[in-house]
Amino acid sequence: MPKEAADMAGYRQSHFNFIYGNQALLACTIGFILYKTGNFFILRQRPAELFSPGNYFTRLLMPALPPAGLYVPLALLALLCCTWLLGHPRAYGLRLVLTFQLLWLHAAQWSYGVFSHVGHLLLLAHLFSVFIPFDLARDRQEARLIHKAISWYYAGLLFTYGLSGMWKWAGLVYKLMLKPGDIHWLHPDASLLTARISFQSYDLPFYLLPAFSWPWVWQAGFILVLLVQTGCIVAAFRLAWRPGVGIALIFFHLINAVFFLTSFVLAPLVIACLFFPYHALFRKTYARFFSGPGALARRPG
Amino acid sequence: MKISTGYKLTKYLVLASLAGSLASLLTLQAGLGELYPFFHWKLYSQPLGSAGSYTFYRIYSRKTHEAHYQRRPVRATSTFSAEEYVYTFNDLVANTLADTAAGQPHRKRLLRFIQHVEPGADQYKVVAEIYHPKAPAQGICSYDTATVITFQ
């Protein structure tokens, strides 16, 4: 296939997968809003003195736990925004409104202790999508710009994992060079120790000892995590990498949840929504998406 | 919105977010707080217990007629999941230990949290349980204790 045709096929695949991924994200967000609303009624049962916003951001958004008469209508409004956007994805102003609504709904949970990593990927996934064109391109130049915008979108999301990977690299080098007596991530006991302490943190019996019978597996696993986390940002600019990177990141979260009791529920869901190769699942729809019936209505102007 | 405009705005938004994340690392180090909230990706940069010891904080309580304090293990309650319990409790303990403010607001909040998750006792204290895992395969059940916070 000539390079120009191959590039155009890539641009279209990227755009199709993003559009469908965004629809899946909105559907997931509807579930998130319902969960948050239910969670709000649990937060209301906690002593009022425990509500204590930890940074200027949450103090600005929610200086006190709001009454149900305010929270529920705003949650309902966010639900309506999500539902409207499912059918009208080009409502860019509404996307921005939804992002701030989600930020506000989430601020309640952020104000009872340190939860700085909770919910970030979902919020960023909405924030970075605000300006991405949902109109179909009229020519190759427009298709290329849309593809580049989507690449930046994924770069913004994958940067979070990249930075986490960089911290691990820095931590490993620091220990190896300055504190060789300490246990570092390549030490044979590192993963077992972390798992035991994680379970002890929750006063849970540790029953996973057999899984750590071969330390070299965990040492190799850490190297793999380093490579996946620091290298995953390439998937932002290499379309073919995205499904594989998505699977690797979801697997990484599953391992953390099972063996180290570090549960990220939203992050793997968001990854599943955004990294799934929808063009391979909805082949017939994909085949006529850019030139079949209805394609004209999705073009700008 | 023009497609070229959408592309530029997306790119600048992502770059601004990245800059905010990196700036937050510096402002936090300088004691100025989090400039941008989406930055805290320093998770498990070291194995737990890597320095040779690990400290857990636990609630100990007793009724007036009891001779000894009883250890209260972490548990989910009707308003806190086990994870929320651990994060909230550890945050309150850390802030209380660092609290030098008049009236010690964190100490009052900590006591309120303790009374909420472990009601029914007359006296409470927070104990640091310090583990020194020498052989992780053999378990880390033994630990030293030190009372760090008492409530009279």
Side-chain angles (χ1 to χ4, degrees):
Chain A
M1 185 187 285
K3 186 180 183 306
E4 278 198 12
D7 286 346
M8 195 65 180
Y11 301 156
R12 286 180 165 176
Q13 184 182 319
S14 174
H15 201 194
F16 181 84
N17 284 334
F18 173 79
I19 289 171
Y20 271 69
N22 194 258
Q23 297 286 81
L25 181 70
L26 285 168
C28 182
T29 304
I30 287 172
F32 167 80
I33 294 168
L34 291 170
Y35 167 77
K36 274 285 170 229
T37 307
N39 185 247
F40 169 76
F41 285 98
I42 293 175
L43 297 182
R44 273 165 51 89
Q45 296 172 44
R46 295 178 179 179
E49 307 95 301
L50 296 183
F51 187 89
S52 177
N55 59 30
Y56 83 96
F57 209 72
T58 43
R59 278 194 292 274
L60 202 64
L61 280 175
M62 194 178 283
L65 191 67
L70 178 60
Y71 195 95
V72 173
L74 281 174
L76 190 60
L77 204 58
L79 272 177
L80 290 172
C81 282
C82 272
T83 312
W84 181 262
L85 283 168
L86 278 168
H88 307 83
R90 287 181 277 183
Y92 300 106
L94 205 58
R95 291 187 170 276
L96 191 60
V97 167
L98 176 63
T99 300
F100 282 105
Q101 286 174 323
L102 295 174
L103 197 58
W104 187 84
L105 290 174
H106 208 75
Q109 191 179 4
W110 277 346
S111 299
Y112 288 93
V114 179
F115 281 105
S116 58
H117 56 274
V118 174
H120 284 200
L121 203 67
L122 177 81
L123 293 168
L124 288 177
H126 279 284
L127 176 66
F128 294 151
S129 76
V130 166
F131 300 117
I132 294 194
F134 280 78
D135 295 309
L136 300 191
R138 287 171 293 198
D139 54 38
R140 187 172 178 277
Q141 173 61 8
E142 285 189 349
R144 184 166 169 270
L145 286 175
I146 292 171
H147 172 69
K148 285 174 69 172
I150 293 169
S151 293
W152 275 104
Y153 175 80
Y154 281 96
L157 297 178
L158 292 171
F159 173 76
T160 63
Y161 289 96
L163 198 55
S164 180
M166 292 307 295
W167 279 116
K168 290 185 174 69
W169 274 113
L172 182 65
V173 168
Y174 169 76
K175 286 280 181 171
L176 289 173
M177 292 184 68
L178 296 176
K179 294 196 174 182
D182 283 1
I183 292 180
H184 50 75
W185 272 116
L186 288 179
H187 190 284
D189 288 336
S191 293
L192 172 58
L193 186 58
T194 300
R196 275 202 177 276
I197 290 175
S198 297
F199 275 73
Q200 186 70 30
S201 296
Y202 294 95
D203 286 321
L204 291 172
F206 185 64
Y207 56 88
L208 293 174
L209 186 58
F212 294 89
S213 301
W214 301 278
W216 65 265
V217 171
W218 293 93
Q219 291 167 295
F222 176 71
I223 298 287
L224 195 60
V225 164
L226 271 188
L227 294 174
V228 168
Q229 284 197 312
T230 47
C232 68
I233 201 160
V234 175
F237 307 98
R238 291 282 182 272
L239 188 58
W241 284 42
R242 284 181 201 162
V245 164
I247 289 171
L249 292 175
I250 290 171
F251 186 66
F252 161 73
H253 282 299
L254 280 174
I255 294 289
N256 278 342
V258 171
F259 293 98
F260 306 114
L261 302 183
T262 303
S263 296
F264 282 78
V265 176
L266 270 179
L269 276 176
V270 169
I271 292 166
C273 288
L274 298 177
F275 286 73
F276 188 86
Y278 297 96
H279 71 287
L281 184 65
F282 304 116
R283 290 177 189 273
K284 287 182 183 173
T285 307
Y286 178 53
R288 57 174 188 262
F289 193 79
F290 292 94
S291 56
L296 197 62
R298 293 192 288 269
R299 291 214 158 83
Chain B
M1 182 170 61
K2 288 173 66 176
I3 284 176
S4 57
T5 306
Y7 157 66
K8 284 178 192 167
L9 289 175
T10 301
K11 176 179 165 184
Y12 296 146
L13 182 58
V14 171
L15 284 172
S17 180
L18 267 55
S21 295
L22 295 171
S24 277
L25 293 175
L26 298 173
T27 57
L28 204 68
Q29 291 291 328
L32 300 172
E34 295 175 28
L35 182 72
Y36 180 63
F38 304 111
F39 88 100
H40 194 267
W41 312 115
K42 192 181 176 188
L43 301 171
Y44 285 106
S45 58
Q46 299 291 354
L48 297 180
S50 63
S53 69
Y54 200 84
T55 301
F56 301 106
Y57 295 104
R58 289 291 181 268
I59 298 168
Y60 283 58
S61 68
R62 69 177 177 185
K63 291 187 186 300
T64 309
H65 62 270
E66 290 174 341
H68 302 289
Y69 280 86
Q70 300 294 324
R71 182 182 190 273
R72 302 299 173 196
V74 168
R75 62 187 185 94
T77 68
S78 59
T79 57
F80 283 89
S81 66
E83 186 185 33
E84 289 170 329
Y85 177 125
V86 168
Y87 274 100
T88 304
F89 179 56
N90 285 342
D91 180 66
L92 286 168
V93 169
N95 283 322
T96 301
L97 292 174
D99 203 354
T100 54
Q104 296 188 308
H106 292 107
R107 184 186 178 85
K108 290 177 183 170
R109 269 202 285 276
L110 173 60
L111 178 58
R112 193 65 194 93
F113 172 82
I114 290 172
Q115 289 169 332
H116 180 68
V117 297
E118 293 292 344
D122 298 309
Q123 289 176 303
Y124 297 96
K125 65 179 181 179
V126 176
V127 172
E129 298 175 347
I130 306 142
Y131 291 79
H132 302 279
K134 299 290 184 197
Q138 277 71 50
I140 51 172
C141 298
S142 60
Y143 51 88
D144 299 323
T145 59
T147 299
V148 292
I149 301 169
T150 54
F151 299 97
Q152 299 305 328

